[in-house]
Amino acid sequence: MAAEPAAEDEDQEQREQQAVNEVLAEASEAGRRAAEWVRELAARQPVAGHRAVLGRAADAVERASGREVVPGGEGQLNEELAYDLGADVVAGSVVADGLPVLVMGERIALVTVCSVAAAMPSSVLGDFESELPVLAAVMEAARVLGLESAGRSPR
């Protein structure tokens, strides 16, 4: 008889872990799609410095929304990722003249994507199972708005 409650507890733990894994996968996928979009923005930049800044931002978005979200972790974004998600994404390289070639809607969407990515690791300090899906949805909506603002349809 004692085995029955233990089996139920184990099943419950497995269901809870599966739910956690699904939330993490959803956030990671939103980050991957957003990072792909940022890489597209980087690829079309005529100035190498701007391409590099946006390329690093894309990598940071992908990492911050994926492997940096660690349930039970400290919820801190490391300094390098925070820097790569900072103001340079819209201001561009400090050694280049002018701004990256982006329409205003892309700039706004880019700031949103980077801000959300920077916030994702800290979601583990609260109720990440409810917070992370909201952040992932905002990130996806920003990506879609960025594509639409440049006259492209989301895929």
Side-chain angles (χ1 to χ4, degrees):
M1 292 239 183
E4 201 172 291
E8 288 176 14
D9 288 346
E10 188 175 312
D11 286 347
Q12 179 64 26
E13 283 181 33
Q14 287 177 348
R15 284 190 297 276
E16 289 172 3
Q17 186 59 51
Q18 182 177 358
V20 166
N21 290 342
E22 288 173 7
V23 167
L24 294 172
E26 180 183 330
S28 184
E29 180 59 19
R32 187 198 61 74
R33 285 189 305 269
E36 181 181 297
W37 171 67
V38 177
R39 286 184 187 100
E40 291 171 8
L41 297 176
R44 71 170 210 238
Q45 297 304 309
V47 176
H50 295 328
R51 282 193 303 274
V53 166
L54 288 169
R56 285 192 310 274
D59 293 344
V61 165
E62 192 162 16
R63 186 170 158 194
S65 61
R67 64 181 181 238
E68 294 296 314
V69 182
V70 181
E74 296 178 12
Q76 298 293 314
L77 187 64
N78 77 40
E79 197 172 317
E80 177 186 348
L81 289 178
Y83 179 81
D84 288 341
L85 294 170
D88 286 352
V89 297
V90 292
S93 172
V94 295
V95 297
D97 290 331
L99 298 173
V101 179
L102 302 167
V103 299
M104 187 54 72
E106 289 172 321
R107 288 183 200 286
I108 293 167
L110 183 57
V111 168
T112 302
V113 162
C114 290
S115 296
V116 169
M120 283 180 156
S122 68
S123 70
V124 300
L125 300 176
D127 182 12
F128 84 95
E129 290 179 68
S130 64
E131 293 173 7
L132 205 51
V134 172
L135 292 171
V138 170
M139 181 179 280
E140 178 63 14
R143 180 189 75 87
V144 167
L145 289 171
L147 285 166
E148 290 174 345
S149 70
R152 296 185 47 217
S153 63
R155 38 183 159 97

